[in-house]
Amino acid sequence: MTSTLPIVDHPSAAREFVTNEPRSHWHDDSLWFVRSKRDKQAQSIPEWEYLREQASTIKNHTIAKLPEYLQQFEANATRLGAVVHWAADAEEHNRIVLDLLRRNDTLRIVKSKSMLTEECGLNEYLIDNGIEVVDTDLGERIVQLRGETPSHIVLPAIHIKKEEVGDTFHKYLGTRAGESDPQVLTEAARGHLRGKFLSGEVGITGVNFAIADTGGLVVCTNEGNADLGVSLPRIHIACMGIEKLVPRFQDLSVFTRLLARSATGQPITSYTSHFHGPRDENSELHIVLVDNGRSKIRDSKTFRESLNCIRCGACMNTCPVYRRSGGHSYRATVPGPIGSVLGPAKNAKAHKSLPFACSLCGSCTDVCPVKIPLHHQLLAWRKVLVGKRLVAWNKRMAMKAASFLFCNPTLFAAAGYLGRVSLKVLPKSLTHNPFNTWAKDRDLPEPPKESFHEWYAKNRPSGSETISKEERS
Ligand code: SF4
């Protein structure tokens, strides 16, 4: 139940990652490299901003008319021979998948990357019910072997160094001890996964886009593992959030042009696989449409746009907080700026620290291919959390005091004067002591001799007048 979720304290959860400075810097650099590749790709397309505008319009329209498009999609997918299932929440989604597997005496499934199944905790659920689950995306397989969760929605193992991958593969795949050559490790993973593909009884995939007017599905991968995973088994189960729809086939090109460029700085994903109905008359295609809180977000005027997300990960790659604190510090399936919007929508109390894990620099909003105003949404969440009294009392009091001060010019000037004088005479230990962690790596600037107001009164060009209230407005 969501109400019993543990409360995430982002600063504490980030401590281990942040205090490992070499890892934190290397993680930061790796993601900035991806962000820079994205910029090059975006700049190479003159119509980039037009595409973003189009994507935002299409998504806003689709989400507004979601019930109609879902019905249209169900009718068309059924006409093509697929079986459509509806799941209100994660529990129902997992039950549906398990029922399908049991009905077909399945003991092993191969799965391509799906953030929805991560969100629903499908792996753990199936394993608890005696099913072997093999994640076939390389990054996902690495974190699965290590007993971890993905730290990024596109680059699940971005927090792990190649030497650590070498240790993991040595332990589980029998590669040479100390091997860290990416080429050798990739070949080892490929050999290992080929065997799993051949023995998979059911293939499970996520869905990047579903098309209402055709009833088809699109899965984008760079490794071709979705195709391999569903080509041999008789049964393909595709799990998708209800927000993944686009109305028409021609809308798809807007998103495929934006997705890979935003995600990894590639012109297109290596594989863009289309599934229109089951493979042949002996095969089955099951599509599980999952709500799991999406309708609640859709009902919110402020946060509805967060459903437009196409899970490209660009907001994570650019976020200075995410890059330095690592994805696991969010304790959420979707981390980073979009995760900090979606998390509190699921459970405000459990994820109350996430909207504050943000400098409000707005870089996420600038790169988002579907133009979600992410930093505005994070600010809006802060207001909601304050209203719900979910912000620590000392922070609330401090903000109230600051607000009172900023609203009183005389008091503000007096406080400034007091601050300038006290900083000169009081001992440094008053601000720099073990109780003030903020000051640990920071120093205060030299207090100025006078306030800006006083400086301006003395230095303003002769003839210029103080700006009147009317002129200011
Ligand atoms: S919010 Fe925007 S930038 Fe972030 S993952 Fe979603 S689509 Fe990409």
Side-chain angles (χ1 to χ4, degrees), residues 32-52 222 254-270 312 314 317 366-367 369:
W32 189 251
F33 174 71
V34 183
R35 152 82 211 253
S36 309
K37 275 175 74 193
R38 172 254 169 225
D39 290 349
K40 277 196 197 118
Q41 282 296 332
Q43 284 153 15
S44 72
I45 298 188
E47 68 275 26
W48 183 255
E49 286 308 315
Y50 171 75
L51 283 174
R52 288 180 75 212
N222 271 329
V254 173
F255 296 96
T256 48
R257 294 188 77 195
L258 287 167
L259 178 64
R261 287 184 170 92
S262 301
T264 49
Q266 296 166 257
I268 192 147
T269 42
S270 306
C312 70
N317 303 342
D366 288 345
V367 297

Side-chain angles (χ1 to χ4, degrees), residues 152-154 259 262-263 305-306 308-318 334-339 341-342 363-374:
H152 187 289
I153 59 174
V154 175
L259 178 64
S262 301
E305 272 181 275
S306 62
N308 295 359
C309 174
I310 56 170
R311 302 289 191 267
C312 70
C315 56
M316 289 153 219
N317 303 342
T318 199
V334 180
I338 183 64
V341 173
L342 297 174
S363 185
C364 48
T365 304
D366 288 345
V367 297
C368 178
V370 286
K371 298 191 86 152
I372 301 172
L374 286 158

